[in-house]
């Protein structure tokens, strides 16, 4: 089944492949992003207004909330099971260990970190910084910023290719997609208007969602 964020209703909707509503889960105020932890099967949801990360058990619907920094948005996981949350209102990243026993803050990121993608081959986390027009790169081992890369205007969606070769960044303000190899910007795709989302299939096809003018 698939899961959809209800930012107005403060709920998470579980939808069957036939687009039928299966059930709902309660979230915090203004849920913004959702990811499934493939190791635990739990749903991870950022709540923009509450400044929390909700961890939802899909079996019994129980929820555990963890404090984030201001206005959390994107979520990703690394190979050690750690969880990364982008705090757009605080220009920071919150990192939780797998058991949530250790919480690390990475401060002073470029303005408005929004979405994240983990690159397994390089053990780096890539963060789109919407207001700065940049991508920040955090090293998994040191939890520190390795570099920042200038991309297009208003970068938001970000995705890693299935074979972990490249990172793709949708720049909604300049109608472009930036392609990053390691720590270098290698190509920019032009005339991709109003891009709001990126997703790869298992066969490495890239799907791009766009908004209306």
């Amino acid at each position: 089944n698939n899961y959809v964020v209800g930012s107005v209703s403060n709920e998470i909707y579980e939808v069957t492949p036939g687009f039928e509503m299966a059930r709902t889960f309660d979230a915090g105020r203004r849920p913004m992003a959702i990811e499934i932890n493939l190791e635990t099967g739990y749903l991870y949801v950022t709540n923009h207004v509450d400044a929390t990360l909700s961890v939802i058990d899909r079996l019994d619907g129980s929820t555990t909330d963890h404090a984030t920094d201001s206005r959390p948005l994107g979520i990703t996981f690394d190979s050690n099971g750690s969880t990364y949350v982008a705090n757009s209102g605080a220009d920071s990243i919150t990192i939780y260990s797998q058991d949530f026993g250790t919480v690390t803050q990475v401060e002073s990121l470029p303005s408005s970190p929004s979405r994240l993608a983990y690159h397994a081959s390089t053990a780096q986390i890539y963060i789109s910084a919407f207001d700065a027009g940049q991508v920040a790169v955090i090293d998994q081992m040191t939890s520190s910023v390795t570099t920042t890369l200038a991309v297009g205007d208003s970068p938001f969606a970000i995705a890693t290719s299935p074979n972990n070769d490249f990172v793709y960044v949708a720049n909604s303000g300049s109608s472009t997609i930036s392609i990053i190899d390691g720590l270098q910007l290698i190509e920019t795709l032009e005339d991709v208007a109003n891009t709001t989302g990126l997703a790869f299939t298992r066969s490495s096809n890239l799907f791009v969602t766009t908004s209306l003018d």
Side-chain angles (χ1 to χ4, degrees), residues 21-96:
M21 185 74 70
R23 54 181 172 166
T24 61
F25 301 95
D26 291 332
R29 289 182 296 169
R30 196 74 186 276
M32 295 297 291
I34 185 169
E35 294 288 344
I36 299 177
N37 187 315
L38 296 180
E39 289 191 16
T40 65
Y42 290 171
L43 300 177
Y44 285 58
V45 181
T46 50
N47 304 302
H48 203 59
V49 173
D50 288 342
T52 57
L53 172 70
S54 293
V55 180
I56 303 173
D57 187 332
R58 291 185 292 170
L59 294 179
D60 62 15
S62 61
T63 300
T64 303
D65 291 331
H66 302 273
T68 65
D69 217 331
S70 175
R71 297 181 182 177
L73 282 176
I75 310 164
T76 198
F77 309 103
D78 70 16
S79 58
N80 293 328
S82 294
T83 304
Y84 296 71
V85 173
N87 304 299
S88 63
D91 299 339
S92 69
I93 301 294
T94 305
I95 307 172
Y96 307 90

Side-chain angles (χ1 to χ4, degrees), residues 9 49 94 110 133 136 169-170 178 182 193:
S9 64
V49 173
T94 305
V169 184
S178 299

Side-chain angles (χ1 to χ4, degrees), residues 61-192:
S62 61
T63 300
T64 303
D65 291 331
H66 302 273
T68 65
D69 217 331
S70 175
R71 297 181 182 177
L73 282 176
I75 310 164
T76 198
F77 309 103
D78 70 16
S79 58
N80 293 328
S82 294
T83 304
Y84 296 71
V85 173
N87 304 299
S88 63
D91 299 339
S92 69
I93 301 294
T94 305
I95 307 172
Y96 307 90
S97 61
Q98 188 171 28
D99 62 358
F100 287 90
T102 302
V103 180
T104 304
Q105 288 290 118
V106 181
E107 308 284 353
S108 302
L109 267 72
S111 181
S112 192
S114 301
R115 301 290 178 175
L116 310 95
Y118 175 64
H119 194 293
S121 297
T122 62
Q124 307 273 6
I125 296 87
Y126 293 76
I127 306 105
S128 60
F130 187 83
D131 290 343
Q134 296 178 330
V135 168
V137 185
I138 292 178
D139 182 85
Q140 175 184 348
M141 303 306 296
T142 64
S143 298
S144 60
V145 177
T146 302
T147 190
T148 56
L149 302 170
V151 288
D153 295 335
S154 306
F156 191 67
I158 188 166
T160 307
S161 59
N163 55 12
N164 283 303
D165 280 345
F166 305 120
V167 177
Y168 291 72
V169 184
N171 306 302
S172 58
S174 55
S175 300
T176 59
I177 293 178
S178 299
I179 304 176
I180 298 170
D181 182 6
L183 300 178
Q184 293 184 328
L185 176 66
I186 61 170
E187 187 176 355
T188 301
L189 306 180
E190 305 286 347
D191 299 323
V192 190

